Amino acid sequence: MSAPTPRPGRFVRSPVVLRDGQWWLVSGAGSILASDPAFTSTLDRFAQALVAADQAVADLRARESEPPACDAEGQR
């Protein structure tokens, strides 16, 4: 299974932004490209974990909205 693809945008309550496949640190004073490979790899893994968590929550919500399954005797 392939890793989930992070969506462009800002992490909530964070100065980190993914823009055009590159990580940026953004503040009121300006922006700087994050170029350290160890740091950007960690950001990639964190973003992939967030996407996977979002998908897991969406899957659980979808299951909650399904009608209950019947057992072998047709009871709920």
Side-chain angles (χ1 to χ4, degrees), residues 21-25 32-41 43:
Q22 296 181 308
W23 291 106
W24 291 82
L25 301 175
I32 186 167
L33 178 64
S35 59
D36 180 273
F39 181 59
T40 56
S41 293
L43 289 172

Side-chain angles (χ1 to χ4, degrees), residues 4-12 14 16-24 26 43-44 47-48 50-51 54:
T5 304
R7 293 179 295 277
R10 177 174 266 188
F11 285 156
V12 175
S14 167
V16 180
V17 176
L18 179 60
R19 213 183 280 151
D20 297 324
Q22 296 181 308
W23 291 106
W24 291 82
V26 179
L43 289 172
D44 286 337
Q48 289 168 352
L50 286 175
V51 171
D54 287 346

